[in-house]
Amino acid sequence: MTNNSAIKILILDDEPFMHKLLARMLATLGYTSVATCDNGHIALEMIDSPDNSPNLILLDINMPEMDGLEFVRHLVERHYLGSLILVSGEDERMQQAAEKLAMAHKITVLGHLHKPASAQGLAELIGKWAAPSQNQPRAERKVYGADELRAAIANGELVNYYQPKVRTATGHVMGVETLVRWHHPQDGMVFPDQFIGVAEVHGLIDDLTWVVLTNALIQARLWQDAGLTLMVAVNLSVDNLNSLDFSDLVAGLAALAGVPPQMMELEVTETRLMEDLRTPLEILARLRLKRFRLSIDDFGTGNSSLAQLRDLPFDELKIDQSFVHGACGNDKLLAMFDSSLGLARQLEMEVVAEGVEDQADWDFVRQRGCDIAQGYFVARPMPAADLPAWIQSWQRVFAASI
Ligand code: C2E
Ligand code: MG
Ligand code: MG
């Protein structure tokens, strides 16, 4: 049990009214070490002084001078080890985007509260607070800004890698998933969890998606011409699904590349799909009508019900890697895996197991009758040029193992 007075809390908000409201709630809950501040610069000075540095910051996202997102970047630069609770009047999607961005930079976010916050909600989130462990230093991760990413997109620094997907029954390489990497001129290879959130929050995700999609379509056509029949999957962000002409644009791009929609698959993560989304669902339905395949990604990380899933026009369900790797030796993972598989079967979707990392995972997904496997055991994501040779060696190894 944490001693409430031991947590140093900072309320960072430009509205004095919120200082009073939150401070009163905190006092009622027994938190006595509480400071307030109305702009990011002063807050950073407090963080830099060892005596005043807070363990927990209640952060307003929308502030006039330095907004909450910029403030988070400064925290990352300082390797801040404390926790955040985001408090704002922004809508749920904006809050989730901000939370995702902060977490992508490995800052602990206990959750977000809508203004005006309730005492109960606040108590629940602070209840999750734990002192940072001293013997687990965080990996250093650079934070990229919007301008740098914008320039990278314009300069062609984003490169597609492709990870094979194979049928577990036959070993047949049925397709690939496109995974974007940033070939940074100084930092080398940068992975998507370090910049997709930045793109979403700063309105760059459409530009990013067009680059990835265009390159994937050009590559799909090259494979097609070389006689390789591969289903090519591309990840979409729900933030791409805001304008109703999206499906026409995608169809136009595919037609231009000469790739039939049946050979393209669009993945959207489960958690974001369960927001109240009318426009995105209409766009997905239109894409489905045009015969693109739709895939629900990271399944199991959200909490969709059968009824919600039934109304979505998906062809494929990808069980999240956290329920695949090691599932054969863990009853809880096994239960999650089996119920996801059962759900997909009822809805007649194809099932992909993500994160098949070792022989035990591979044997497990085959024995469970999961259709398709993807993961390091099969192959890591690779540049397009490496794929034909990999397919040949995989076929040899697979044939020999049967
Ligand atoms: P995802 O779509 O679920 O992709 C699978 C991720 O798991 C990839 O990480 C892949 O490299 C990794 N992975 C594959 N096999 C294994 C395994 O056996 N074990 C483990 N531990 N990991 C494995 P990556 O490439 O870093 O991508 C991370 C996420 O970034 C993706 O998750 C996807 O949500 C997002 N992303 C990637 N490219 C794009 C893109 O072009 N657009 C958008 N919007 N998101 C993208
Ligand atoms: Mg994916
Ligand atoms: Mg996934």
Side-chain angles (χ1 to χ4, degrees):
M1 179 86 199
T2 314
N3 171 5
N4 287 359
S5 60
I7 312 181
K8 281 192 259 179
I9 301 177
L10 173 66
I11 301 169
L12 173 54
D13 198 304
D14 59 306
E15 291 174 66
F17 162 75
M18 285 305 291
H19 293 175
K20 286 204 192 104
L21 180 78
L22 291 170
R24 199 168 334 117
M25 285 180 190
L26 289 167
T28 314
L29 296 168
Y31 297 94
T32 50
S33 175
V34 176
T36 58
C37 174
D38 66 3
N39 81 70
H41 298 287
I42 300 174
L44 290 172
E45 281 172 23
M46 293 174 71
I47 288 163
D48 290 338
S49 98
D51 293 341
N52 293 327
S53 186
N55 309 113
L56 170 65
I57 304 172
L58 306 188
L59 173 65
D60 180 17
I61 301 174
N62 200 343
M63 292 181 292
E65 215 181 306
M66 181 193 297
D67 67 33
L69 299 177
E70 190 187 340
F71 181 75
V72 168
R73 286 189 58 199
H74 290 291
L75 291 181
V76 177
E77 280 160 14
R78 285 167 168 72
H79 303 294
Y80 179 65
L81 289 174
S83 303
L84 287 185
I85 291 177
L86 304 176
V87 188
S88 94
E90 299 296 322
D91 65 20
E92 180 68 19
R93 292 176 66 188
M94 186 62 210
Q95 297 232 23
Q96 285 199 5
E99 190 171 328
K100 200 165 136 198
L101 181 64
M103 295 204 301
H105 296 313
K106 300 278 184 273
I107 297 258
T108 308
V109 182
L110 303 181
H112 57 257
L113 291 171
H114 288 277
K115 283 183 182 179
S118 76
Q120 192 200 348
L122 185 62
E124 274 171 23
L125 292 184
I126 303 186
K128 295 191 202 167
W129 183 84
S133 149
Q134 294 302 326
N135 45 21
Q136 273 186 1
R138 283 161 203 267
E140 290 207 13
R141 288 164 61 89
K142 185 164 165 190
V143 191
Y144 294 95
D147 292 340
E148 214 177 342
L149 182 58
R150 191 177 293 112
I153 296 171
N155 298 337
E157 290 171 20
L158 299 190
V159 178
N160 288 348
Y161 272 50
Y162 299 92
Q163 187 175 35
K165 291 162 75 175
V166 301
R167 293 214 168 268
T168 60
T170 58
H172 176 241
V173 183
M174 50 74 65
V176 291
E177 176 176 7
T178 309
L179 295 160
V180 66
R181 271 91 183 90
W182 178 357
H183 281 189
H184 193 284
Q186 280 84 43
D187 302 344
M189 180 126 96
V190 180
F191 288 87
D193 60 341
Q194 268 176 284
F195 59 87
I196 295 292
V198 177
E200 286 179 340
V201 168
H202 293 284
L204 297 171
I205 193 67
D206 281 339
D207 292 347
L208 184 147
T209 303
W210 285 122
V211 168
V212 173
L213 196 59
T214 305
N215 292 338
L217 281 163
I218 292 170
Q219 189 54 57
R221 174 61 193 262
L222 290 173
W223 282 324
Q224 193 179 295
D225 290 348
L228 271 180
T229 309
L230 293 169
M231 177 84 68
V232 177
V234 171
N235 291 284
L236 296 183
S237 160
V238 166
D239 297 329
N240 290 133
L241 307 177
N242 283 331
S243 105
L244 284 173
D245 59 0
F246 183 82
S247 54
D248 294 327
L249 292 172
V250 173
L253 210 57
L256 200 64
V259 177
Q262 291 87 340
M263 297 312 286
M264 290 299 293
E265 193 159 39
L266 303 164
E267 299 189 6
V268 189
T269 47
E270 185 204 4
T271 34
R272 296 286 316 269
L273 272 177
M274 294 307 145
E275 297 164 12
D276 176 25
L277 304 170
R278 255 150 273 179
T279 311
L281 291 186
E282 181 175 345
I283 294 171
L284 288 171
R286 281 190 177 174
L287 285 164
R288 187 70 188 76
L289 274 178
K290 294 181 193 295
R291 301 289 177 260
F292 288 94
R293 279 175 56 96
L294 299 182
S295 171
I296 184 159
D297 202 356
D298 306 328
F299 190 80
T301 57
N303 39 26
S304 2
S305 65
L306 181 63
Q308 282 167 315
L309 284 177
R310 195 191 45 214
D311 298 336
L312 299 169
F314 282 85
D315 305 278
E316 181 187 271
L317 180 149
K318 301 185 81 173
I319 304 181
D320 189 66
Q321 55 192 46
S322 58
F323 306 110
V324 174
H325 175 53
C328 62
N330 179 317
D331 287 348
K332 277 200 184 132
L333 299 186
L334 186 75
M336 271 304 297
F337 185 93
D338 278 345
S339 68
S340 305
L341 193 66
L343 207 60
R345 289 271 175 268
Q346 285 186 57
L347 296 165
E348 295 175 351
M349 296 188 210
E350 282 217 290
V351 192
V352 181
E354 302 191 279
V356 174
E357 275 190 25
D358 53 30
Q359 180 81 46
D361 296 339
W362 169 255
D363 293 341
F364 167 76
V365 299
R366 292 191 78 193
Q367 176 254 326
R368 273 333 211 219
C370 178
D371 306 301
I372 296 162
Q374 180 182 345
Y376 297 162
F377 180 76
V378 177
R380 293 196 175 245
M382 63 185 87
D386 296 351
L387 196 77
W390 175 82
I391 293 180
Q392 287 204 335
S393 73
W394 166 260
Q395 282 167 347
R396 265 197 312 273
V397 172
F398 190 85
S401 75
I402 293 292

